[in-house]
Amino acid sequence: MAVVRLLLSVMAIALATVAMTHAQTAAPPAVPPTENPAEGKSYAAAIDTRDPAKRAQALEVFIAWYPNSILRVAAHEQLMAAWQAASNPAKADAVAAKLLQIEPDNLRALANRVYVGRTRVASGDIAALQPAVAAAERGLSVLSRLQRPQDVDERAFMRLKFQYIAVFNGMLGYAALQQKDYARARRLLADAVAVDPENLQDVYQLAVAQLEGTPLDALGFWYGARAVAISRAAKNEQAAAGIEKYVRARYRIYRGSEEGFDAILARAAAERAPTDNFTGSIPRKLTPEEKAVQLVTDNDPATLSYTDWQLVLSRRDATPANRAAADQVWKAIADKQRGGETRLKIAIKVLKSTPDRIEGAITDENQSSGTVDLEVRFGRPLSPMPSVGTQVSVIGTLTEYRATPFAFVMTNAELAPESLPVAGGACAEPRPQMCTMDYRPACGLRRDNSRKTYSNACSACADAQVVSQSAGACP
């Protein structure tokens, strides 16, 4: 799927701008007292080393020297953070794995495994998804049982807890997005973004979940624009351009144009959350099926144009609502014809002509494309027949229609009087053997170039000496 490829490529770029959460970069705690003063000094010296890579090396030496130290958990946590700060997530993940062997419910190690796993998945390593999901699920389970230490302030404790929740929910939301479970992805990623509205990966992925799910959630346009703003604030123009291209394309499909999108980009750059009426501020382009239902809801079906009738009837089988709308339109057409007592007069372009039927186009669009939308069945054979491409009016009764491909069927039809001159021209073979007695004068051009007035066009062409006829008596 194209959006998955886009998601992976953009997030591989965007993740470079995402900082580790507070839970992973918290300041080193005070060094607790140890029985061996040298042990405490060695630990303090290690965590006081400013260069991250050198700090990591010093902590590795400490762990090797004091494998059973009461500081071994803290040392592993600081080592993990040091390798992250040194831009070496692989080594940080290896430390997290060792720490989880020592303390399976260590939140910092679980958060690190989630962070590294998510980075790998976003870079295309799908095998990293399941271990990261398992770490996120375990992390949430640990948080549900977590008690506030007595020496930790309630506000600080809740802030840290919510940051962990954002990390774990963000991962689970991303996993749901990979599985196209858009409803779950929306819920989890929205929770993560509520905690950390500046987290690019969560903001962008929330936008994708909202724009790809059915029905589309127009809030995705704001979060997509916000992801662009976050990328640009981080001077990551490549990520910003990729995200904007995707969101703009979805907006164009939703609204039918790009009108208003640049204003959304400007607002998202200045605001951290969408306004309450944001979704309602974007007019949505209706699908043909929705438009068909709305036409009947908002109007008397009898007053609709033939183009509107065709739209409603051609979508009959889409949904129960569309069938109900089609039934109303067809009843309105039947009521107009009073059970066949009143016939309709329709102007068409002739696309195919035989003595007993014409296939034509009513709407301008179908006339331009040469698409048949009316089959006319005449009560008596036409002679001569109207030429293909001519405009005529026919009178008859609409007795049925086909939904796909759409076409009305008109029966007991005849050409309208004003269209009879259009039927003039060369006499077609075979010549008519019987004509009506109605009087519509026609001027027949005979083979000897003489002219003679006949009672109607049929009578003129019934004469084998007549080459062609035209409407009206001869001059």
Side-chain angles (χ1 to χ4, degrees):
M1 184 177 176
V3 70
V4 174
R5 292 194 298 272
L6 172 64
L7 180 62
L8 291 174
S9 62
V10 171
M11 289 315 302
I13 300 167
L15 279 170
T17 69
V18 180
M20 289 290 288
T21 64
H22 174 77
Q24 294 164 290
T25 57
V31 180
T34 59
E35 294 182 0
N36 183 350
E39 178 183 337
K41 288 182 179 180
S42 177
Y43 178 77
I47 63 175
D48 285 342
T49 304
R50 297 188 64 179
D51 181 84
K54 292 180 179 179
R55 181 165 67 250
Q57 293 168 1
L59 285 163
E60 286 180 340
V61 170
F62 173 83
I63 292 170
W65 282 357
Y66 305 101
N68 298 315
S69 171
I70 63 170
L71 297 172
R72 63 176 180 163
V73 170
H76 278 85
E77 288 180 341
Q78 293 301 322
L79 175 59
M80 184 171 58
W83 280 128
Q84 282 289 359
S87 301
N88 197 328
K91 286 191 175 182
D93 193 41
V95 175
K98 292 179 182 178
L99 181 52
L100 289 172
Q101 291 175 356
I102 300 170
E103 193 175 82
D105 288 343
N106 186 282
L107 284 170
R108 293 187 72 176
L110 290 169
N112 188 87
R113 297 229 77 179
V114 166
Y115 173 81
V116 173
R118 190 170 177 181
T119 304
R120 288 177 177 171
V121 175
S123 300
D125 183 5
I126 303 302
L129 180 63
Q130 192 51 47
V133 168
E137 291 173 341
R138 188 178 186 96
L140 289 174
S141 176
V142 173
L143 282 172
S144 69
R145 307 188 304 269
L146 189 65
Q147 299 296 317
R148 178 176 66 86
Q150 291 183 351
D151 59 345
V152 176
D153 174 77
E154 175 71 23
R155 181 177 295 180
F157 174 72
M158 292 306 298
R159 182 169 61 250
L160 187 61
K161 186 175 180 179
F162 278 125
Q163 287 175 337
Y164 277 124
I165 290 174
V167 172
F168 299 140
N169 275 347
M171 179 65 240
L172 295 177
Y174 180 44
L177 186 60
Q178 297 296 303
Q179 296 162 359
K180 299 184 177 64
D181 186 350
Y182 297 116
R184 185 165 187 261
R186 291 176 182 183
R187 175 171 49 81
L188 291 166
L189 289 166
D191 288 345
V193 169
V195 175
D196 186 1
E198 298 303 305
N199 186 309
L200 175 60
Q201 56 185 338
D202 288 343
V203 172
Y204 175 65
Q205 289 167 6
L206 174 58
V208 173
Q210 291 169 325
L211 297 179
E212 292 298 321
T214 302
L216 179 148
D217 185 346
L219 273 177
F221 297 121
W222 191 91
Y223 285 107
R226 184 64 189 157
V228 173
I230 295 171
S231 298
R232 286 186 173 145
K235 301 190 184 306
N236 192 339
E237 283 298 326
Q238 188 175 1
I243 296 170
E244 180 181 340
K245 181 179 180 182
Y246 163 71
V247 179
R248 187 182 289 272
R250 298 295 294 171
Y251 183 90
R252 186 166 54 248
I253 294 171
Y254 180 83
R255 181 163 184 178
S257 72
E258 294 184 11
E259 182 181 355
F261 185 75
D262 289 336
I264 295 173
L265 286 176
R267 288 173 58 187
E271 303 168 2
R272 294 184 55 162
T275 56
D276 291 340
N277 66 340
F278 176 79
T279 299
S281 69
I282 306 175
R284 182 168 67 86
K285 179 183 178 182
L286 298 179
T287 65
E289 291 74 18
E290 292 170 330
K291 185 176 180 182
V293 173
Q294 188 178 66
L295 278 170
V296 176
T297 301
D298 296 346
N299 303 278
D300 177 357
T303 65
L304 297 176
S305 66
Y306 282 105
T307 299
D308 291 338
W309 279 353
Q310 288 191 28
L311 174 63
V312 176
L313 295 174
S314 66
R315 263 61 184 186
R316 178 193 64 195
D317 300 325
T319 68
N322 285 104
R323 178 170 287 277
D327 289 345
Q328 290 183 58
V329 164
W330 190 243
K331 181 179 182 302
I333 294 173
D335 290 345
K336 271 181 171 288
Q337 299 177 120
R338 300 180 184 179
E341 294 181 7
T342 301
R343 295 189 298 167
L344 300 180
K345 179 178 177 182
I346 305 175
I348 65 171
K349 177 181 180 181
V350 178
L351 301 178
K352 184 177 180 181
S353 176
T354 65
D356 57 358
R357 74 176 54 193
I358 285 176
E359 292 181 2
I362 303 173
T363 69
D364 291 341
E365 181 180 355
N366 287 339
Q367 288 186 10
S368 297
S369 63
T371 301
V372 173
D373 58 22
L374 177 66
E375 180 183 318
V376 184
R377 299 174 184 173
F378 289 98
R380 57 192 179 200
L382 287 181
S383 182
M385 298 177 294
S387 303
V388 171
T390 57
Q391 299 281 342
V392 300
S393 290
V394 291
I395 299 173
T397 304
L398 297 179
T399 53
E400 60 180 291
Y401 71 93
R402 297 189 303 269
T404 307
F406 182 83
F408 285 114
V409 176
M410 174 180 276
T411 58
N412 192 29
E414 62 179 311
L415 288 176
E418 67 271 19
S419 293
L420 289 174
V422 178
C427 292
E429 300 291 346
R431 299 297 180 114
Q433 300 300 309
M434 184 178 297
C435 297
T436 62
M437 300 301 293
D438 55 318
Y439 183 72
R440 294 192 179 98
C443 180
L445 175 63
R446 299 167 63 83
R447 297 183 188 279
D448 61 3
N449 287 326
S450 64
R451 297 179 183 274
K452 178 181 176 181
T453 299
Y454 294 82
S455 60
N456 54 44
C458 178
S459 297
C461 286
D463 184 346
Q465 298 302 309
V466 174
V467 176
S468 65
Q469 58 82 29
S470 59
C474 298

